[in-house]
Amino acid sequence: MDDDRDTSLAVATTDPGRALREPGGRIRLVGDAPDDCSLLISDVRAGDRDRYYFRFVKGDFKYSYYETQPLVDVTELSEQPVLRVPEVLLSGQLVNVTCQAPGTCSGTPPQITWTGGFDYTARNVSVALANGSVSYSSELSFTPAPGDDGKELVCTVTYPALVGVFTRRSVQLQVHYPPELLPQGNCTVWGHGPGGVATCHCAAEGNPPPHLEWRLPNRTLTGDFEGPELRATSWAQGPAVSGELRGPAGALANVSCVATNAHGQSQAVLTVVTAAGFSWTLVVALAVAGSLVLVVAGAAVAWKVVKGRQGGRVPTRAGRCQGTGDGQVCHSSEQQASTAPSHRQNATREEGALEKKGRGGGGGGGGRCYRERGDGEQFTEEHIYVNI
């Protein structure tokens, strides 16, 4: 590289006594034939930028080829790896993708790494070339799933011999998969009999987005349909598609929803529910349970009525009546059923007497007994006393 042809440090030489600017073989002469003295520079760096010339020395014969001085121009790495990925991947099927480092290398092998957030296996598929350089490549094998759709697959090539030098390329995966019906599909019914109406809902997901069909016992409707009684609409959002079918409840008693795309089909019979959100089976079960509750409640009320009548009877009395001019006064004694005084028992304790008002004069006939309360008023007892 210098003008001092005989004393300066050589870039590469076959003379074992000549000193080299950079020992180690990064820059060397290649070719075994007498007419092949090609220069090979590996792991090129910015300091290699210069003009080089070739000098021939054999005994007393010396010659420098100044008229041929090739310029080695070194620029920053701008090339990206070559990614070979199928345009469309199918979920569940094994796929192989390849990343090839830019150019060829004769020095330190580059490192090729993959990133993408899924399980994979990579292997080296580099190829050695005839001139001693190598084309470095890596092959990635993985089985995509529906969740991998839209993920970014990145291949990075790093050159360890040069600090901070790397290049990368990425691709967004397109993963296709057959449709799958989502579980919330059903037919909701309002009203009963000929006037009842129903609305059926269905949703599915697939890639490419599927199209919907409604299958009735006697006909098949597309996802978008409008007739005298039935009306169907559908709409898509990303890989998901939703649909709605409206019409008389009798016509929508047995409806199936079908989702189809290029990779498959999914079909299911829709469940019928009432407007309140209960299925017919649940409604019948609730009706039976309600009847049992009413029967038990009625029995409990009847039992309380009987017990109440029994508990309201007047305690057994022992007493005697004495004749008076206008009737009889009957004195009585009671055996209290409870130590806790009731309103009626308090009235008894007011030292009142049972006064019998006879229907006739004298002391002969029977009569109805009254209990006199402390305030002078009387209330009728439930017993009629008869004089013997």
Side-chain angles (χ1 to χ4, degrees):
M1 295 172 61
D2 297 328
D3 291 337
D4 190 347
R5 295 166 289 180
D6 295 324
T7 60
S8 64
L9 299 177
V11 174
T13 180
T14 58
D15 183 359
R18 187 74 177 263
L20 296 175
R21 295 183 58 177
E22 184 180 331
R26 187 179 71 87
I27 305 176
R28 66 183 187 276
L29 293 170
V30 294
D32 295 331
D35 57 352
D36 185 1
C37 295
S38 299
L39 183 68
L40 178 64
I41 304 176
S42 300
D43 299 331
V44 177
R45 56 200 62 180
D48 297 328
R49 187 185 186 281
D50 209 330
R51 291 189 178 274
Y52 296 77
Y53 67 90
F54 175 70
R55 177 171 175 79
F56 180 82
V57 178
K58 186 176 177 63
D60 294 334
F61 181 76
K62 302 178 182 180
Y63 186 80
S64 297
Y65 291 84
Y66 285 110
E67 67 277 9
T68 305
Q69 295 189 38
L71 172 65
V72 175
D73 193 11
V74 181
T75 61
E76 293 185 0
L77 179 63
S78 59
E79 286 187 81
Q80 291 182 319
V82 178
L83 267 179
R84 298 181 178 92
V85 182
E87 184 177 353
V88 174
L89 310 179
L90 189 59
S91 175
Q93 290 190 2
L94 181 67
V95 64
N96 296 322
V97 299
T98 304
C99 177
Q100 180 180 357
T104 59
C105 302
S106 57
T108 306
Q111 296 176 350
I112 303 178
T113 56
W114 297 88
T115 54
F118 48 83
D119 293 334
Y120 59 84
T121 301
R123 65 189 185 96
N124 182 16
V125 289
S126 303
V127 178
L129 304 179
N131 62 0
S133 62
V134 180
S135 175
Y136 288 97
S137 299
S138 175
E139 184 181 71
L140 179 72
S141 300
F142 67 100
T143 302
D148 294 327
D149 183 57
K151 281 187 176 180
E152 189 178 48
L153 179 64
V154 183
C155 173
T156 302
V157 180
T158 305
Y159 296 88
L162 304 173
V163 178
V165 177
F166 66 92
T167 180
R168 63 163 54 108
R169 171 165 285 180
S170 64
V171 63
Q172 195 172 36
L173 301 180
Q174 295 186 38
V175 181
H176 284 192
Y177 49 94
E180 180 179 358
L181 290 178
L182 303 180
Q184 61 264 30
N186 60 46
C187 290
T188 304
V189 177
W190 286 268
H192 301 284
V197 295
T199 300
C200 299
H201 293 94
C202 180
E205 185 175 314
N207 195 16
H211 63 271
L212 294 181
E213 288 183 345
W214 305 93
R215 292 186 181 176
L216 282 64
N218 57 352
R219 63 191 300 191
T220 298
L221 304 178
T222 60
D224 293 281
F225 172 85
E226 187 166 1
E229 293 184 329
L230 301 176
R231 182 174 181 269
T233 56
S234 64
W235 58 94
Q237 184 176 4
V241 61
S242 302
E244 181 181 86
L245 176 64
R246 293 177 177 267
L252 303 181
N254 187 13
V255 179
S256 295
C257 179
V258 183
T260 308
N261 69 5
H263 305 291
Q265 185 179 90
S266 182
Q267 177 177 350
V269 178
L270 300 181
T271 303
V272 178
V273 299
T274 64
F278 298 101
S279 66
W280 289 112
T281 303
L282 183 58
V283 169
V284 173
L286 290 176
V288 173
S291 300
L292 293 176
V293 171
L294 290 176
V295 171
V296 173
V301 171
W303 180 80
K304 284 189 175 183
V305 169
V306 173
K307 293 296 290 181
R309 288 179 178 177
Q310 292 177 352
R313 293 178 180 175
V314 178
T316 303
R317 300 176 186 273
R320 56 189 177 84
C321 292
Q322 295 178 351
T324 63
D326 58 354
Q328 293 180 342
V329 176
C330 301
H331 299 275
S332 66
S333 61
E334 297 180 354
Q335 182 68 35
Q336 302 298 332
S338 172
T339 58
S342 67
H343 177 74
R344 192 167 186 175
Q345 292 168 346
N346 289 336
T348 304
R349 295 173 182 173
E350 294 293 335
E351 295 184 355
L354 292 175
E355 179 184 358
K356 177 183 176 184
K357 304 274 186 176
R359 293 184 180 179
R368 186 179 302 275
C369 290
Y370 292 84
R371 181 184 299 276
E372 183 178 354
R373 302 190 307 193
D375 55 5
E377 295 184 359
Q378 297 176 343
F379 57 90
T380 306
E381 286 290 321
E382 295 179 356
H383 300 282
I384 296 177
Y385 291 80
V386 180
N387 284 335
I388 303 300

